[in-house]
Structure formats: structure tokens, C-alpha cells
Amino acid sequence: MSEMTDVLEELRLHKQEQLLVHFDDLDAKEKQNLLNDIKNVDFGHLEDIRKRSNELSKSRQSGRLDKFMEPIPSEQFGSIARGSAQDKLKWEKAGLECIAEGKVAVLVLAGGQGTRLGVPYPKGMYDVGLPSGKSLYQIKAERIKRLQDLAFERTGKHGIITWYIMTSEATMGQTRDYFKDNNYFGLSENNVKFFEQFTLPCIDFDGKILLANKHKIACAPDGNGGLYKALTRRKVLDDMERRGIECTHVHCVDNILTKTADPVFIGFCRLMKADCGAKVVEKTEPNEAVGVICKVDGVCQAVEYSEISSATASKKDNSGTRLMFNAGNICNHFFSTDFLKNVCSAHKELPHHVAKKKIPHVNRKGEVVRPTTPNGMKMEKFVFDVFQYAKHFVVFEVPREDEFSPLKNAEGATSCGPLQSRWSLASLHHRRIVSAGGSIVDSDGNEVPPLTGVESHEGEYPVVCEISPLLSYDGEGLAKYCDNVKFQSPVILDKDLLNRNGNA
């Protein structure tokens, strides 16, 4: 009875008695599960987070930051498009050497379920409809495998890229089983490490904690910025140090074009002696729903698009052709291990941001409610909120058509859906074949030119084209298979040079 008395006192103190409204309907095991859930909540801390999140949201309303914003200085900025071919070779060489020495890790943020895609499994397991049927996870795994081989070919040293995957409570079991069932896609089990991010209770707009069912509190992952707490609590940083890892490439699971452990990006950051870096794509439309990386009151940070007034978002730089604030944030980052150790220390407390969501829950009548409009809040940390702690922060601009096609929506969506992912990858691979001296022709022998800009086109890409990451990471080595070759769609190039309707 003392346990129940303590719980009741805690709930009354924080005005959360609604959590026990169905208690008498539960069996003994369910009652204990609910009590355990309640005892694991730091109600005072949760209330403090809610208040500070709301204050932050008000302080960063559209236009409030405008007068403090300035672009990233040129000395902190690198670009594939504006850099020379020699620069790219220099950066790539430095990155491959780092990989060959086993100093590079990849960390994928993969806590999201595939709910918006219409599937009951983690987003990383999703097949966007490629000819090969490969999932997002398999594509990333094969890129890692090829990159390890490429580093060996270039340096004579065989380094391992350790792959860390941050899951959530909802995705951990399925993700582990998926990799095990697929034999880790040819990677060593010892070098693929899973860890789980933490959660926070979901609350309604009055601050009341919601129930997922009668005996369980509704919780949600604490945002991709929950990474830093998890790195410490789950002993991931300790593992990195044991392995001699000096830098980590962090990115989201849903971008099919991500150059996993990109040696060019890593080399650029290393040669710049950066402790923290961000890949960006050029933002060309002021109203595009993507945040920008800039300085705010002299400190580098990411600013959400909703926090910038339309007037500031529309400003042009000195050339008069580009937006002044054009460094579009794509959640693709470089961190040194020393930097991660610093930001993971106890005194680096990141803010929580309010995300208004449609949260399924059980109401006071015991009915399951699946709202069609936002009914509550999830409080999330953002992975990029650590930029402010960097001693040497850099930005690296890459072509959007080569590196950014996020998967957010189900088939049939007008943007960020499986169609757009397929289209973008086919476009990239088509352009790689052409760069290697090949071409794709129609049934009459007329060359089909590569297209870019998925948002400007409707329907599927005009040809079927897929190159296995195991054959080529970034177009290297394709000339000996493609030079002076005319292919017909579908063009499928894999490790065994299988071309299912071409001439290779």
C-alpha cells in the first residue's frame, strides 16, 4: 500500500491523477506495469521542460531572430559545385585515408516508424520500389561495404567503418531482427551496433499526460537530439573510444541519396580541423520548408524556416542571384569524437522544442481516440542544437540532385514519397553512366538524356536505371563497363555486371 500511496501523492502534487482513471479495470500485472510507468516519470522535470519549450517557441516566432542573423563566413564554407576538381580529390584522399585507418564511424538516426508510409515497420526497412527491391538499410550497408573496399584499393590498408544505428523503443526489435535475418547485408555483426534513444511522455495542450492504453503511458522518442543523452547512457561513446574512432558521420535514415561515410565530406572537415560540420544544399526558394544554417548573434546554428520572416528569407547576397540565407539544412553532420564527448557532458543541456502532433490515446471513457487534428505535444531535442558548442564549425555545400531526396510520405504523395526517391536515384545513376562514357537509348536508338529536378517532372523517371553500391560508391570504376556502351532500359548494373537488357 505504501507504493500506491506514494504514487497517489506524486500524481496529486503534479495534477496528473487522470493516469489512474482506469486503474480499477486492470488486472494485477497491468496495474504493476502502469505503476512502474508512473514511477519512471520525473514529473517536476517534465513540467519544467514543458514550460521552457513553450517559452522557446514564443521567443523564436517568425521574425524574432532576423536582426541577429548573418550568413556563414566564406572561410568556414566549402562547396562541391564551387570547389575545383583538385579540391575534391584532395578532400577524398584525406577521407579515404581516415577510413582506411579505422577512424570513421557512421551513425544513422532511425527511430521513426513507417506509419506515414503506410507500413507497420521501421522506415529503414522500407523498399521504395527499386528494381533490386533493396531497402534503405540495405543500400546504406552496401555503400559502407564498397567504401571499405575502396579505401583499401586506394591506400592498401583495410579499415572498418563501424555503423551505429539509433532506434527507438518502437523500432529496436524489428530492426535487430531485420539485420540478423539478412546476415547484416555482408557486414560483420560486431561492427553494426544498435542502441535505443530515450522517450518522454506525450501531453495534451493542458499539460496532462496521455495514456496509450489503460495500463501504459503514451510516450514518444525525445527527438533526434536525444542522441547525445543516448551516446552516454548506452555506452556508445565508450565503444567509439575503444575502437579508436576519431570522427562520426551522422545522418537520418530516410534519405536514399545519402553518401554514407562520405570521404569527401569527412576529408574536407578533417583538413579544415573542424570539430563539427554540416552538409547543406542550396536553398533557392525563400518559402521552401527547410531550415537554414547561419550565425545568430555570432553563434553558428540551424534556424527553422518558420522562424524566419519572409522578408529576410527573400534577401539576396551580394551577387544578386543567390539567397543570402541559402545553406539549407539536410540533417547530415560531421562530429569529432572529442566534440561529442564535450557536448555529452552533463552541463550541456539542449533545449526541447514543442511539436504539436496527432497523438492516439485512451480517453476517460476508455475509448481509443485517433485524432485527425493535433491534440497534444511531443517535446523533442534537435540534433543540430549542438552547433553552438563547436570551436571550429564548417559548412559543406553539395548538389541537391546528387545528395538529397528524403522519404517522408506514402506512395501517391506529390513530394518526398517513394516515387521521388526512385526518380532521384535513377537520375543519379543515369548521370553516372553518361559521365562514364555510356548512354541509354530508346527502342529507336535515340539517346535518352539524363534529367534532374524531380520536383519539375511528373510520373516515373523515363528509364529504369540502378547501379549497385557494391559495384560503385560514387561513380568510380564505371568507365570500363560503360564507355562507348549504349544501354536500353532497364539498366541494372550489379556486382556481377548483370545488365538485364543492355550490353555490358
Side-chain angles (χ1 to χ4, degrees):
M1 284 298 293
S2 61
E3 178 186 32
M4 189 64 187
T5 301
D6 292 343
V7 167
L8 283 170
E9 288 181 2
E10 185 78 0
L11 294 179
R12 288 181 185 128
L13 176 64
H14 297 283
K15 299 180 180 179
Q16 297 286 356
E17 299 96 325
Q18 80 285 348
L19 293 177
L20 294 178
V21 69
H22 304 296
F23 197 74
D24 291 340
D25 299 335
L26 308 179
D27 61 32
K29 184 178 179 180
E30 291 172 335
K31 286 180 177 179
Q32 191 58 55
N33 287 342
L34 180 57
L35 292 176
N36 289 341
D37 263 10
I38 292 171
K39 286 188 292 184
N40 285 330
V41 176
D42 185 336
F43 291 96
H45 182 57
L46 183 66
E47 180 60 22
D48 184 52
I49 289 173
R50 185 176 78 92
K51 287 180 179 178
R52 284 190 282 123
S53 298
N54 284 326
E55 289 169 1
L56 177 67
S57 181
K58 292 175 183 177
S59 71
R60 299 190 68 157
Q61 289 175 352
S62 180
R64 291 276 184 97
L65 300 178
D66 286 17
K67 64 181 179 180
F68 303 107
M69 291 172 57
E70 56 183 318
I72 296 292
S74 59
E75 62 268 21
Q76 294 175 250
F77 196 94
S79 171
I80 288 290
R82 287 176 254 178
S84 68
Q86 288 179 325
D87 285 335
K88 182 178 177 181
L89 288 173
K90 178 179 66 176
W91 298 331
E92 183 183 55
K93 183 175 184 291
L96 288 173
E97 287 175 350
C98 194
I99 288 168
E101 292 169 357
K103 295 178 179 178
V104 176
V106 168
L107 197 156
V108 173
L109 307 169
Q113 275 282 29
T115 309
R116 285 173 63 182
L117 302 177
V119 295
Y121 49 78
K123 191 183 286 187
M125 294 165 54
Y126 191 80
D127 165 18
V128 302
L130 299 178
S132 65
K134 293 175 182 177
S135 68
L136 295 172
Y137 274 137
Q138 183 171 354
I139 292 168
K140 292 181 188 300
E142 291 184 356
R143 285 178 181 153
I144 289 173
K145 196 169 188 303
R146 170 60 192 150
L147 193 52
Q148 290 176 157
D149 292 342
L150 181 61
F152 176 71
E153 291 168 13
R154 299 282 179 87
T155 69
K157 294 177 286 187
H158 193 82
I160 297 299
I161 300 171
T162 305
W163 187 7
Y164 298 97
I165 301 174
M166 186 174 80
T167 69
S168 63
E169 180 183 17
T171 63
M172 174 61 93
Q174 286 177 295
T175 302
R176 277 186 182 276
D177 290 346
Y178 178 68
F179 273 80
K180 186 176 181 180
D181 291 344
N182 286 280
N183 201 26
Y184 298 84
F185 301 104
L187 299 174
S188 167
E189 178 181 356
N190 184 54
N191 298 322
V192 181
K193 298 291 184 180
F194 307 94
F195 66 103
E196 190 176 310
Q197 69 184 114
F198 291 86
T199 61
L200 280 172
C202 300
I203 58 177
D204 66 17
F205 293 128
D206 295 320
K208 301 293 186 183
I209 296 174
L210 298 170
L211 288 170
N213 55 50
K214 291 182 178 182
H215 59 274
K216 184 174 178 60
I217 287 176
C219 290
D222 54 356
N224 55 30
L227 165 67
Y228 307 107
K229 177 180 178 180
L231 285 177
T232 303
R233 299 281 185 90
R234 308 300 191 196
K235 307 296 183 184
V236 177
L237 270 179
D238 293 344
D239 187 70
M240 288 180 174
E241 289 197 274
R242 280 195 301 270
R243 292 170 179 264
I245 291 167
E246 294 184 2
C247 57
T248 301
H249 184 200
V250 176
H251 56 84
C252 294
V253 73
D254 60 6
N255 180 8
I256 198 168
L257 297 183
T258 298
K259 291 182 178 177
T260 311
D262 179 11
V264 177
F265 180 41
I266 289 167
F268 169 77
C269 292
R270 297 274 289 189
L271 292 176
M272 292 287 287
K273 301 190 184 306
D275 55 357
C276 177
K279 264 194 187 183
V280 299
V281 296
E282 183 177 358
K283 185 173 179 176
T284 57
E285 295 294 331
N287 59 351
E288 183 185 2
V290 61
V292 297
I293 294 175
C294 60
K295 279 192 169 185
V296 178
D297 204 15
V299 178
C300 295
Q301 59 182 272
V303 178
E304 290 295 279
Y305 68 93
S306 59
E307 298 172 345
I308 308 171
S309 69
S310 58
T312 296
S314 300
K315 284 183 178 179
K316 300 287 187 177
D317 66 9
N318 292 334
S319 72
T321 59
R322 289 191 174 98
L323 294 175
M324 178 180 291
F325 299 102
N326 63 16
N329 182 24
I330 60 173
C331 197
N332 190 319
H333 310 308
F334 167 97
F335 299 121
S336 73
T337 302
D338 286 342
F339 177 77
L340 288 175
K341 287 163 61 179
N342 180 42
V343 299
C344 290
S345 59
H347 62 280
K348 306 295 188 198
E349 181 62 36
L350 299 181
H352 287 79
H353 302 258
V354 170
K356 296 179 180 180
K357 300 284 187 176
K358 294 174 282 189
I359 305 171
H361 63 283
V362 170
N363 64 16
R364 288 180 174 272
K365 297 179 181 179
E367 302 165 333
V368 176
V369 178
R370 301 189 185 280
T372 56
T373 58
N375 64 312
M377 297 183 291
K378 296 178 181 180
M379 291 168 291
E380 303 171 335
K381 293 182 179 182
F382 293 162
V383 66
F384 47 73
D385 276 335
V386 299
F387 292 173
Q388 61 184 304
Y389 300 119
K391 294 178 181 177
H392 193 180
F393 179 79
V394 296
V395 169
F396 192 65
E397 183 186 78
V398 296
R400 181 188 297 255
E401 63 269 21
D402 290 355
E403 299 206 33
F404 188 53
S405 184
L407 177 66
K408 305 291 184 185
N409 304 312
E411 195 73 79
T414 56
S415 66
C416 299
L419 168 62
Q420 290 74 28
S421 292
R422 290 192 299 273
W423 201 103
S424 298
L425 193 65
S427 166
L428 176 65
H429 289 179
H430 189 176
R431 286 181 282 119
R432 283 181 178 168
I433 286 173
V434 171
S435 295
S439 61
I440 301 178
V441 298
D442 62 22
S443 57
D444 296 321
N446 300 311
E447 183 174 350
V448 181
L451 301 176
T452 58
V454 60
E455 65 281 349
S456 304
H457 301 277
E458 293 184 4
E460 296 286 349
Y461 192 76
V463 297
V464 174
C465 179
E466 183 180 358
I467 302 170
S468 168
L470 295 173
L471 182 66
S472 180
Y473 176 84
D474 189 25
E476 79 288 338
L478 291 180
K480 61 182 176 181
Y481 309 119
C482 299
D483 193 25
N484 290 318
V485 177
K486 294 182 178 181
F487 298 94
Q488 282 190 325
S489 177
V491 183
I492 315 296
L493 299 178
D494 66 16
K495 187 71 181 293
D496 300 318
L497 295 182
L498 173 63
N499 177 23
R500 295 176 188 156
N501 196 25
N503 303 316

